[in-house]
Structures are given as C-alpha cells and as structure tokens.
Amino acid sequence: MLSKQEAADAVRQAKVKTGVTWAQLAEAVGKPLAWTTAALLGQHPMGKDEAATAAALLELGGDAALAFQLQPTRGALDAAVPVDPTIYRLYEVVQVYGPTIKELIHEQCGDGIMSAINFRLDVRRVPDPAGDRVVITLDGKYLPYQW
C-alpha cells in the first residue's frame, strides 16, 4: 500500500504522463478545485468513489485509490521555513501581514479567529497591463473565542 506522500508523488507524475489537469480531476470527482488538489496532494481524505474516479482518470492503481482515502497528517511541511519559492512567498506574506490580518479580524469581527476547517480557497490569474496578477482568496468562517 502507498503512503499519502507516495500517492501524492504518483499523482504529480501521472498528471505529466496523462496531461490531466487539476480542474479536470475536480470536475470528475465533483469537488471544488482547491479541495481536490489538496486531497490528491495528501491533505484531505477522499471518499471511496472519489478516490476510485481520480485514480482511474490518472491511470493509477488501486493502491493509490486506497491511499487517497487515508486520514492525513495535515499541514506537514518538510521544514519550519519553506524553501520552495512559491510557498515561501506565502510564508513571507504571513510574516509581514499576519499581525495586520489579526488586528483587522479582531476590529471587524471581535476576539476570534478565521477557521481553516470551515474554509474555502480560490486561486486565479487576473490579466493586468503591468503583468498578470495572482488573486488568492482565503474564505474561513469566523470563530469567536468562547470563555
């Protein structure tokens, strides 16, 4: 049986081999694009039918489908400070703007946090004359602290 990480590696390789896109995979399994991508990269468990559909589309075997169904260890990075340039930029955003985001959440909503469980994510490219932009929307339910 494959581990979640081995299955994620197999997914990346199969995407190159088959030419299947993340959007095609999301449509096939009937889930949002960001959720499907995260699930196939090992961050969410898939249902049996979703896993079988993804494995078939990627021309992967039953071991991959089983791995897609395993409960993940979420948020596991290889290092405390990410070294991949794209992921590092997000880390940098949190380093620079994290305190600002926290203050604005508290001012607008009260003493609480944004959920990463009841959560939606969208990533899109937006044309711009000065160079295309990447728009990332983090949409989490507000959770007040309860004392």
Side-chain angles (χ1 to χ4, degrees), residues 15-42:
K15 282 184 74 281
V16 173
K17 180 181 172 189
T18 63
V20 173
T21 67
W22 293 116
Q24 290 168 325
L25 287 159
E27 184 176 337
V29 301
K31 292 286 191 176
L33 175 61
W35 184 92
T36 302
T37 305
L40 291 171
L41 293 177

mmCIF file of all heavy atoms in Angstrom, residues 15-42:
data_model
loop_
_atom_site.group_PDB
_atom_site.id
_atom_site.type_symbol
_atom_site.label_atom_id
_atom_site.label_comp_id
_atom_site.label_asym_id
_atom_site.label_seq_id
_atom_site.Cartn_x
_atom_site.Cartn_y
_atom_site.Cartn_z
ATOM 1 N N LYS A 15 -0.041 13.170 -13.667
ATOM 2 C CA LYS A 15 -0.548 14.378 -14.336
ATOM 3 C C LYS A 15 0.306 14.711 -15.554
ATOM 4 O O LYS A 15 -0.218 15.084 -16.597
ATOM 5 C CB LYS A 15 -0.582 15.572 -13.370
ATOM 6 C CG LYS A 15 -1.767 15.536 -12.425
ATOM 7 C CD LYS A 15 -1.818 16.778 -11.555
ATOM 8 C CE LYS A 15 -2.261 17.998 -12.249
ATOM 9 N NZ LYS A 15 -1.490 18.797 -13.072
ATOM 10 N N VAL A 16 1.606 14.565 -15.431
ATOM 11 C CA VAL A 16 2.504 14.831 -16.557
ATOM 12 C C VAL A 16 2.286 13.786 -17.648
ATOM 13 O O VAL A 16 2.157 14.115 -18.826
ATOM 14 C CB VAL A 16 3.982 14.841 -16.094
ATOM 15 C CG1 VAL A 16 4.925 14.936 -17.288
ATOM 16 C CG2 VAL A 16 4.226 15.992 -15.123
ATOM 17 N N LYS A 17 2.221 12.537 -17.246
ATOM 18 C CA LYS A 17 2.062 11.429 -18.198
ATOM 19 C C LYS A 17 0.732 11.506 -18.952
ATOM 20 O O LYS A 17 0.691 11.320 -20.166
ATOM 21 C CB LYS A 17 2.167 10.100 -17.454
ATOM 22 C CG LYS A 17 2.024 8.875 -18.323
ATOM 23 C CD LYS A 17 2.118 7.606 -17.492
ATOM 24 C CE LYS A 17 1.775 6.391 -18.340
ATOM 25 N NZ LYS A 17 1.647 5.188 -17.518
ATOM 26 N N THR A 18 -0.364 11.781 -18.232
ATOM 27 C CA THR A 18 -1.690 11.752 -18.841
ATOM 28 C C THR A 18 -2.138 13.097 -19.401
ATOM 29 O O THR A 18 -3.041 13.141 -20.231
ATOM 30 C CB THR A 18 -2.753 11.298 -17.817
ATOM 31 O OG1 THR A 18 -2.810 12.261 -16.756
ATOM 32 C CG2 THR A 18 -2.447 9.909 -17.281
ATOM 33 N N GLY A 19 -1.557 14.189 -18.891
ATOM 34 C CA GLY A 19 -2.000 15.518 -19.310
ATOM 35 C C GLY A 19 -3.280 15.972 -18.628
ATOM 36 O O GLY A 19 -3.846 17.009 -18.969
ATOM 37 N N VAL A 20 -3.738 15.226 -17.636
ATOM 38 C CA VAL A 20 -4.952 15.578 -16.901
ATOM 39 C C VAL A 20 -4.658 16.794 -16.019
ATOM 40 O O VAL A 20 -3.606 16.871 -15.376
ATOM 41 C CB VAL A 20 -5.430 14.384 -16.039
ATOM 42 C CG1 VAL A 20 -6.588 14.783 -15.141
ATOM 43 C CG2 VAL A 20 -5.830 13.218 -16.933
ATOM 44 N N THR A 21 -5.579 17.757 -15.989
ATOM 45 C CA THR A 21 -5.406 18.961 -15.175
ATOM 46 C C THR A 21 -6.093 18.803 -13.824
ATOM 47 O O THR A 21 -6.968 17.944 -13.646
ATOM 48 C CB THR A 21 -5.992 20.192 -15.881
ATOM 49 O OG1 THR A 21 -7.424 20.034 -15.963
ATOM 50 C CG2 THR A 21 -5.401 20.388 -17.277
ATOM 51 N N TRP A 22 -5.712 19.656 -12.895
ATOM 52 C CA TRP A 22 -6.382 19.681 -11.592
ATOM 53 C C TRP A 22 -7.877 19.970 -11.781
ATOM 54 O O TRP A 22 -8.713 19.374 -11.096
ATOM 55 C CB TRP A 22 -5.754 20.716 -10.665
ATOM 56 C CG TRP A 22 -4.353 20.407 -10.239
ATOM 57 C CD1 TRP A 22 -3.232 21.123 -10.523
ATOM 58 C CD2 TRP A 22 -3.911 19.301 -9.437
ATOM 59 N NE1 TRP A 22 -2.123 20.536 -9.958
ATOM 60 C CE2 TRP A 22 -2.514 19.414 -9.272
ATOM 61 C CE3 TRP A 22 -4.555 18.223 -8.836
ATOM 62 C CZ2 TRP A 22 -1.767 18.496 -8.539
ATOM 63 C CZ3 TRP A 22 -3.809 17.308 -8.099
ATOM 64 C CH2 TRP A 22 -2.429 17.451 -7.962
ATOM 65 N N ALA A 23 -8.209 20.875 -12.698
ATOM 66 C CA ALA A 23 -9.609 21.224 -12.944
ATOM 67 C C ALA A 23 -10.388 20.008 -13.454
ATOM 68 O O ALA A 23 -11.538 19.783 -13.054
ATOM 69 C CB ALA A 23 -9.707 22.382 -13.924
ATOM 70 N N GLN A 24 -9.793 19.220 -14.327
ATOM 71 C CA GLN A 24 -10.461 18.020 -14.830
ATOM 72 C C GLN A 24 -10.671 17.004 -13.707
ATOM 73 O O GLN A 24 -11.722 16.358 -13.627
ATOM 74 C CB GLN A 24 -9.648 17.391 -15.965
ATOM 75 C CG GLN A 24 -9.669 18.219 -17.237
ATOM 76 C CD GLN A 24 -8.647 17.745 -18.258
ATOM 77 O OE1 GLN A 24 -7.550 17.294 -17.905
ATOM 78 N NE2 GLN A 24 -8.995 17.864 -19.533
ATOM 79 N N LEU A 25 -9.682 16.875 -12.849
ATOM 80 C CA LEU A 25 -9.823 15.971 -11.710
ATOM 81 C C LEU A 25 -10.941 16.433 -10.775
ATOM 82 O O LEU A 25 -11.763 15.622 -10.329
ATOM 83 C CB LEU A 25 -8.499 15.867 -10.946
ATOM 84 C CG LEU A 25 -7.415 15.053 -11.647
ATOM 85 C CD1 LEU A 25 -6.031 15.402 -11.116
ATOM 86 C CD2 LEU A 25 -7.708 13.562 -11.498
ATOM 87 N N ALA A 26 -10.987 17.732 -10.486
ATOM 88 C CA ALA A 26 -12.033 18.273 -9.606
ATOM 89 C C ALA A 26 -13.419 18.043 -10.200
ATOM 90 O O ALA A 26 -14.352 17.642 -9.493
ATOM 91 C CB ALA A 26 -11.785 19.759 -9.357
ATOM 92 N N GLU A 27 -13.546 18.284 -11.485
ATOM 93 C CA GLU A 27 -14.842 18.071 -12.141
ATOM 94 C C GLU A 27 -15.240 16.596 -12.071
ATOM 95 O O GLU A 27 -16.394 16.266 -11.772
ATOM 96 C CB GLU A 27 -14.790 18.533 -13.595
ATOM 97 C CG GLU A 27 -16.133 18.433 -14.296
ATOM 98 C CD GLU A 27 -16.112 18.980 -15.707
ATOM 99 O OE1 GLU A 27 -15.233 19.807 -16.029
ATOM 100 O OE2 GLU A 27 -16.978 18.564 -16.488
ATOM 101 N N ALA A 28 -14.290 15.717 -12.304
ATOM 102 C CA ALA A 28 -14.578 14.280 -12.303
ATOM 103 C C ALA A 28 -15.016 13.781 -10.924
ATOM 104 O O ALA A 28 -15.930 12.956 -10.823
ATOM 105 C CB ALA A 28 -13.365 13.491 -12.793
ATOM 106 N N VAL A 29 -14.376 14.278 -9.861
ATOM 107 C CA VAL A 29 -14.746 13.808 -8.521
ATOM 108 C C VAL A 29 -15.886 14.623 -7.917
ATOM 109 O O VAL A 29 -16.419 14.258 -6.866
ATOM 110 C CB VAL A 29 -13.540 13.755 -7.544
ATOM 111 C CG1 VAL A 29 -12.453 12.842 -8.059
ATOM 112 C CG2 VAL A 29 -12.997 15.122 -7.234
ATOM 113 N N GLY A 30 -16.250 15.735 -8.561
ATOM 114 C CA GLY A 30 -17.384 16.530 -8.096
ATOM 115 C C GLY A 30 -17.120 17.354 -6.860
ATOM 116 O O GLY A 30 -18.012 17.602 -6.052
ATOM 117 N N LYS A 31 -15.886 17.806 -6.715
ATOM 118 C CA LYS A 31 -15.498 18.617 -5.555
ATOM 119 C C LYS A 31 -14.836 19.905 -6.039
ATOM 120 O O LYS A 31 -14.376 19.990 -7.180
ATOM 121 C CB LYS A 31 -14.515 17.855 -4.662
ATOM 122 C CG LYS A 31 -15.096 16.657 -3.955
ATOM 123 C CD LYS A 31 -15.988 17.072 -2.816
ATOM 124 C CE LYS A 31 -16.357 15.881 -1.961
ATOM 125 N NZ LYS A 31 -17.143 16.240 -0.814
ATOM 126 N N PRO A 32 -14.722 20.930 -5.174
ATOM 127 C CA PRO A 32 -14.033 22.163 -5.563
ATOM 128 C C PRO A 32 -12.575 21.915 -5.958
ATOM 129 O O PRO A 32 -11.932 20.973 -5.463
ATOM 130 C CB PRO A 32 -14.114 23.034 -4.306
ATOM 131 C CG PRO A 32 -15.292 22.499 -3.544
ATOM 132 C CD PRO A 32 -15.308 21.021 -3.832
ATOM 133 N N LEU A 33 -12.081 22.766 -6.829
ATOM 134 C CA LEU A 33 -10.721 22.650 -7.356
ATOM 135 C C LEU A 33 -9.668 22.615 -6.244
ATOM 136 O O LEU A 33 -8.815 21.723 -6.208
ATOM 137 C CB LEU A 33 -10.439 23.800 -8.322
ATOM 138 C CG LEU A 33 -9.034 23.906 -8.885
ATOM 139 C CD1 LEU A 33 -8.671 22.668 -9.688
ATOM 140 C CD2 LEU A 33 -8.924 25.161 -9.748
ATOM 141 N N ALA A 34 -9.696 23.577 -5.341
ATOM 142 C CA ALA A 34 -8.668 23.638 -4.289
ATOM 143 C C ALA A 34 -8.760 22.429 -3.366
ATOM 144 O O ALA A 34 -7.735 21.865 -2.969
ATOM 145 C CB ALA A 34 -8.789 24.937 -3.493
ATOM 146 N N TRP A 35 -9.964 21.994 -3.037
ATOM 147 C CA TRP A 35 -10.123 20.826 -2.156
ATOM 148 C C TRP A 35 -9.568 19.582 -2.839
ATOM 149 O O TRP A 35 -8.835 18.802 -2.230
ATOM 150 C CB TRP A 35 -11.590 20.613 -1.784
ATOM 151 C CG TRP A 35 -11.763 19.479 -0.810
ATOM 152 C CD1 TRP A 35 -11.778 19.569 0.548
ATOM 153 C CD2 TRP A 35 -11.885 18.076 -1.116
ATOM 154 N NE1 TRP A 35 -11.903 18.300 1.103
ATOM 155 C CE2 TRP A 35 -11.980 17.377 0.096
ATOM 156 C CE3 TRP A 35 -11.928 17.350 -2.305
ATOM 157 C CZ2 TRP A 35 -12.110 15.990 0.168
ATOM 158 C CZ3 TRP A 35 -12.051 15.964 -2.243
ATOM 159 C CH2 TRP A 35 -12.153 15.303 -1.013
ATOM 160 N N THR A 36 -9.923 19.379 -4.094
ATOM 161 C CA THR A 36 -9.472 18.199 -4.834
ATOM 162 C C THR A 36 -7.958 18.176 -4.941
ATOM 163 O O THR A 36 -7.318 17.134 -4.722
ATOM 164 C CB THR A 36 -10.102 18.165 -6.237
ATOM 165 O OG1 THR A 36 -11.524 18.165 -6.096
ATOM 166 C CG2 THR A 36 -9.667 16.945 -7.021
ATOM 167 N N THR A 37 -7.368 19.315 -5.270
ATOM 168 C CA THR A 37 -5.910 19.397 -5.385
ATOM 169 C C THR A 37 -5.261 19.057 -4.048
ATOM 170 O O THR A 37 -4.332 18.240 -3.989
ATOM 171 C CB THR A 37 -5.488 20.796 -5.865
ATOM 172 O OG1 THR A 37 -6.167 21.094 -7.089
ATOM 173 C CG2 THR A 37 -3.990 20.878 -6.082
ATOM 174 N N ALA A 38 -5.758 19.660 -2.965
ATOM 175 C CA ALA A 38 -5.205 19.377 -1.641
ATOM 176 C C ALA A 38 -5.383 17.906 -1.269
ATOM 177 O O ALA A 38 -4.475 17.285 -0.708
ATOM 178 C CB ALA A 38 -5.864 20.278 -0.588
ATOM 179 N N ALA A 39 -6.527 17.330 -1.586
ATOM 180 C CA ALA A 39 -6.777 15.919 -1.266
ATOM 181 C C ALA A 39 -5.794 15.015 -1.999
ATOM 182 O O ALA A 39 -5.222 14.100 -1.399
ATOM 183 C CB ALA A 39 -8.215 15.544 -1.624
ATOM 184 N N LEU A 40 -5.588 15.279 -3.279
ATOM 185 C CA LEU A 40 -4.680 14.441 -4.055
ATOM 186 C C LEU A 40 -3.216 14.687 -3.705
ATOM 187 O O LEU A 40 -2.353 13.873 -4.024
ATOM 188 C CB LEU A 40 -4.937 14.619 -5.548
ATOM 189 C CG LEU A 40 -6.291 14.051 -6.008
ATOM 190 C CD1 LEU A 40 -6.593 14.456 -7.437
ATOM 191 C CD2 LEU A 40 -6.327 12.543 -5.842
ATOM 192 N N LEU A 41 -2.939 15.788 -3.024
ATOM 193 C CA LEU A 41 -1.591 16.043 -2.514
ATOM 194 C C LEU A 41 -1.449 15.582 -1.061
ATOM 195 O O LEU A 41 -0.453 15.871 -0.412
ATOM 196 C CB LEU A 41 -1.246 17.530 -2.655
ATOM 197 C CG LEU A 41 -1.109 18.021 -4.097
ATOM 198 C CD1 LEU A 41 -0.844 19.523 -4.126
ATOM 199 C CD2 LEU A 41 -0.019 17.260 -4.846
ATOM 200 N N GLY A 42 -2.481 14.897 -0.559
ATOM 201 C CA GLY A 42 -2.384 14.247 0.740
ATOM 202 C C GLY A 42 -2.946 14.985 1.927
ATOM 203 O O GLY A 42 -2.755 14.560 3.065
#
